[in-house]
């Protein structure tokens, strides 16, 4: 019987090892380059968690990209924004791999996409395929690395997703060639007053404290003891690194214990894109806006619906006079490198009750829809736009040099999860501009920037996800169009492509169209560099000789530019 039990145990161990080994080596590496990670899975980005690995490409484009496993191309998307040129492959075993910011696709895939682009007369395109329509082999070259879309430099953005849910998961589960022997680095900690009667060190004020490392753990710089009263929260500023790399990465888990009781647990190994914006509640959004510090909170606001928490509470501890609470953060990266931060909070006497709350503010319940009609402006905010109740400030002021008053709505340090609708009146003297009108934001330096909106019944309305300062603006200036690095006499016979720069100074480029000798021609749009590129070999109708290129560009307010260029090839 003991021998049988031993055999079962041995089989189990071997089985587990085989599963782990199979998981690690399930996929072919997407590039044959020594891996250098510039962005990790779960890294904290603006308004979202990073959903994959960013693999650098030596500041170059054009490296071969290989299919991670056999399967079929399920989706292709080409866009001047976001992922740029992206390709999705569905595999057996319930996985999808994603390859983004590509320069181009393999020839057979590229020709298929180009045919559809000519059919739809659009550079931006999204295609979906069924099993058997566009199959790929394991290790097949499917594309070439690039810098397309919103990429900030040449690299491959690589994802592994659960095929059924399309939730991204950590690609490091599937490879073992990226060394990491560096523990997460705790740079600071913050204590928060979360109840009206809460105090820290005798003041109703949040406190940030840098941290230092000694005795194999992180500690608050200076004293490791604090005094507090009431419901308080704690958070940490923490980043991670890989071996031999200066590039910042994200952590994998964070636990908070108070007197050895787990009060908070966060783990990111898979998430939904639909919930990614809750990152603005996961972090201290206001601190990031003010100082750039990214602090992950050890408590969860009532409308933070991230699925990444196990244990969660709306505060970290409720401190009474004389209490002694030992706080301990345990933070790990994906491979298990661990960091610990510990400190003590002693209960202090409560402060006298506050006599007056905030004046000139409107209390908004996060769980209820809110409408406001005041000062000539209207505001409509759906329920669950905020992560907790907020104090809303609304004000109107006149500023020289602007076409109308400035409406100050809310605090830019308060994040919005959903869009609110802002409606402001249009002065009678401006109504004749009609579609040229839009709502603009006003910076602290009183410079305007376009937000958008439409006119209806003498009012401008726009949907926006940010508080700020709003006013009416006009855009009557058409976009600019010019050739980029044109050869002498516009003779392109020794060139592979023709390039243009298109730009709009205010409402932005809405659409463009390029015709050569009256026929629609495919021009790639690189929005971040304002560049259109027409590759001659991608224009099947084009013969050698003299040609006329007509370019039409329309901005967000309908201003249109039309320009013609004569060229030869």
């Amino acid at each position: 019987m003991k021998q049988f039990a031993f055999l079962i145990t041995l089989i189990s161990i071997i089985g587990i090892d085989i599963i782990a080994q199979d998981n690690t080596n399930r996929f072919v590496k997407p590039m044959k380059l020594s891996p250098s990670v510039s962005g990790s899975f779960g890294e904290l980005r603006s308004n979202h968690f990073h959903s994959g690995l960013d693999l650098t490409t030596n500041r170059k484009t054009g490296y071969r990209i290989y299919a991670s496993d056999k399967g079929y191309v399920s989706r292709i998307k080409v866009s001047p924004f976001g992922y740029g040129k992206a390709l999705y492959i569905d595999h057996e075993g319930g996985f999808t791999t994603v390859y983004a910011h590509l320069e181009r696709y393999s020839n057979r895939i590229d020709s298929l996409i180009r045919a559809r682009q000519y059919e739809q007369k659009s550079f931006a395109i999204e295609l979906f395929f069924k099993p058997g329509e566009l199959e790929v082999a394991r290790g097949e070259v499917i594309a070439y690395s690039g810098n397309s879309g919103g990429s900030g430099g040449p690299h491959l953005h690589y994802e592994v997703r659960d095929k059924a849910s399309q939730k991204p998961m950590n690609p490091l589960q599937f490879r073992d060639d990226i060394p990491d022997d560096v523990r997460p680095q705790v740079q600071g900690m913050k204590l928060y007053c979360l109840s009206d009667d809460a105090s820290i060190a005798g003041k109703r004020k949040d406190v940030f404290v840098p941290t230092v490392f000694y005795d194999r753990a992180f500690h608050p710089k200076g004293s490791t003891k604090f005094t507090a009263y009431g419901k308080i929260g704690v958070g940490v500023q923490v980043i991670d690194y890989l071996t031999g790399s200066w590039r910042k990465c994200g952590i994998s888990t964070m636990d908070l214990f108070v007197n050895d009781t787990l009060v908070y647990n966060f783990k990111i190994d898979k998430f939904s894109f639909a919930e990614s914006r809750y990152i603005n509640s996961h972090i201290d959004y206001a601190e990031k806006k003010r100082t750039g510090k990214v602090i992950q909170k050890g408590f969860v606001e009532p409308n933070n619906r991230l699925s990444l928490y196990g244990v969660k509470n709306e505060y970290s501890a409720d401190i009474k006079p004389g209490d002694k609470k030992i706080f301990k953060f345990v933070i790990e990266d994906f491979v298990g490198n661990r960091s610990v931060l510990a400190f003590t909070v002693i209960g202090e006497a409560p402060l006298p009750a506050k006599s007056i709350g905030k004046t000139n503010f409107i209390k908004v319940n996060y769980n209820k829809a809110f409408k406001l009609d005041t000062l000539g402006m209207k505001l409509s905010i759906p329920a669950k736009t905020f992560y907790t109740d907020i104090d809303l400030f609304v004000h109107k002021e006149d500023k020289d040099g602007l076409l109308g008053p400035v409406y100050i709505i809310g605090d830019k340090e308060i994040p919005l999860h959903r869009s609110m609708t802002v409606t402001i009146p249009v002065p009678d003297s401006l109504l004749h501009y009609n579609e040229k009108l839009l709502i603009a934001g006003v910076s602290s330096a009183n410079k305007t920037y376009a937000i958008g909106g439409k006119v209806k019944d003498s009012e401008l309305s726009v949907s926006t996800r940010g508080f700020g300062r709003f006013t009416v603006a006009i855009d009557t200036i058409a976009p600019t169009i010019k050739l980029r690095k044109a050869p002498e006499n516009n003779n392109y016979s020794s060139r592979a492509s023709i390039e243009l720069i298109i730009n709009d100074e205010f409402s932005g480029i809405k659409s463009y169209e390029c015709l050569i000798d009256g026929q629609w021609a495919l021009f790639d749009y690189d929005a971040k560099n304002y560049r259109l590129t027409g590759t001659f070999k991608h224009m099947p109708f084009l013969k050698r000789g003299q040609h006329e290129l007509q370019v039409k560009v329309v901005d967000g307010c309908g201003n249109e530019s039309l320009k013609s260029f004569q060229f030869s090839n």
Side-chain angles (χ1 to χ4, degrees), residues 85-124:
K85 295 181 179 180
L87 184 143
Y88 303 70
I89 300 176
D90 283 5
H91 307 282
E92 294 177 355
F95 299 105
T96 298
T97 52
V98 183
Y99 315 78
H101 304 307
L102 304 171
E103 180 179 64
R104 66 188 191 277
Y105 303 92
S106 66
N107 288 339
R108 75 181 180 104
I109 297 175
D110 211 41
S111 59
L112 184 153
I113 297 168
R114 196 158 54 252
R116 298 287 185 89
Q117 288 172 316
Y118 270 93
E119 285 176 12
Q120 298 183 22
K121 295 184 178 180
S122 175
F123 163 69

Side-chain angles (χ1 to χ4, degrees), residues 115-418:
R116 298 287 185 89
Q117 288 172 316
Y118 270 93
E119 285 176 12
Q120 298 183 22
K121 295 184 178 180
S122 175
F123 163 69
I125 195 169
E126 186 170 17
L127 305 173
F128 294 91
F129 302 90
K130 297 177 181 178
E133 289 185 333
L134 191 53
E135 294 183 344
V136 294
R138 180 180 175 90
E140 178 182 336
V141 175
I142 52 172
Y144 297 84
S145 67
N147 186 33
S148 61
S151 170
H155 74 283
L156 172 68
H157 174 85
Y158 175 74
E159 294 179 15
V160 179
R161 297 184 184 180
D162 174 79
K163 184 165 65 175
S165 66
Q166 285 298 292
K167 290 182 177 181
M169 57 185 68
N170 196 333
L172 290 180
Q173 297 177 49
F174 304 92
R175 58 190 303 163
D176 57 3
D177 60 336
I178 299 176
D180 181 6
D181 60 1
V182 183
R183 65 168 57 89
Q185 302 297 297
V186 182
Q187 299 174 313
M189 55 170 282
K190 190 172 179 179
L191 293 90
Y192 299 85
C193 296
L194 296 182
S195 56
D196 290 339
D197 61 352
S199 61
I200 298 168
K203 296 181 180 179
R204 290 190 174 95
K205 185 178 180 181
D206 301 341
V207 176
F208 176 83
V209 181
T211 54
V212 292
F213 183 79
Y214 59 86
D215 291 341
R216 303 180 68 181
F218 289 89
H219 307 269
K221 187 176 182 179
S223 176
T224 60
K225 292 184 178 181
F226 303 89
T227 62
Y229 176 83
K231 292 178 180 177
I232 68 166
V234 293
V236 290
Q237 180 186 11
V238 57
I239 57 174
D240 192 37
Y241 296 97
L242 298 172
T243 301
S245 174
W246 54 268
R247 301 178 188 274
K248 298 176 183 178
C249 294
I251 63 169
S252 182
T253 66
M254 184 167 80
D255 295 337
L256 173 61
F257 298 87
V258 178
N259 288 351
D260 294 326
T261 298
L262 182 66
V263 299
Y264 170 92
N265 164 252
F266 168 81
K267 181 178 182 179
I268 183 163
D269 55 7
K270 182 190 293 187
F271 65 88
S272 166
F273 287 102
E275 64 179 341
S276 195
R277 192 176 176 87
Y278 285 110
I279 191 174
N280 291 331
S281 178
H282 176 74
I283 66 169
D284 184 339
Y285 185 85
E287 183 74 45
K288 181 182 178 183
K289 282 287 187 180
R290 282 195 301 268
T291 68
K293 295 184 179 77
V294 181
I295 296 173
Q296 301 186 56
K297 296 184 291 195
F299 55 96
V300 180
E301 292 173 311
N303 192 38
N304 179 352
R305 299 183 176 186
L306 264 180
S307 64
L308 307 179
Y309 305 113
V311 178
K312 61 180 182 179
N313 290 284
E314 291 184 17
Y315 54 90
S316 302
D318 190 357
I319 311 293
K320 304 299 182 185
D323 281 354
K324 181 180 180 181
K325 305 283 190 182
I326 299 173
F327 290 72
K328 183 172 74 172
F329 279 101
V330 179
I331 303 165
E332 293 187 355
D333 60 22
F334 175 73
V335 300
N337 296 307
R338 174 179 291 191
S339 291
V340 174
L341 167 69
F343 54 92
T344 301
V345 176
I346 305 296
E348 64 185 15
L351 297 175
K354 290 189 291 185
S355 57
I356 301 176
K358 290 183 177 180
T359 58
N360 300 322
F361 285 81
I362 304 167
K363 199 75 174 177
V364 179
N365 186 316
Y366 78 90
N367 211 25
K368 296 180 179 179
F370 176 81
K371 292 183 182 294
L372 183 67
D373 187 343
T374 185
L375 304 175
M377 57 79 65
K378 298 173 185 175
L379 188 61
S380 179
I381 303 175
K384 295 182 170 55
T385 293
F386 308 111
Y387 301 112
T388 188
D389 295 347
I390 71 157
D391 293 310
L392 178 66
F393 177 76
V394 179
H395 181 62
K396 176 183 174 182
E397 64 183 19
D398 293 319
K399 287 287 182 182
D400 293 339
L402 299 179
L403 299 177
V406 176
Y407 296 89
I408 302 166
I409 303 174
D411 185 341
K412 295 190 78 170
E413 294 180 1
I414 297 175
L416 279 68
H417 194 77
R418 296 183 175 181

Side-chain angles (χ1 to χ4, degrees), residues 502-544:
I502 60 173
N503 194 18
D504 188 78
E505 294 294 338
F506 200 61
S507 58
I509 302 296
K510 181 180 179 181
S511 66
Y512 71 94
E513 183 181 58
C514 298
L515 303 178
I516 295 181
D517 302 333
Q519 295 192 62
W520 187 87
L522 175 62
F523 275 69
D524 287 19
Y525 181 28
D526 179 3
K528 63 180 176 290
N529 291 312
Y530 316 106
R531 188 180 303 171
L532 294 178
T533 302
T535 302
F536 295 133
K537 69 178 182 180
H538 294 165
M539 302 173 186
F541 61 87
L542 192 65
K543 309 297 182 184
R544 286 198 172 273

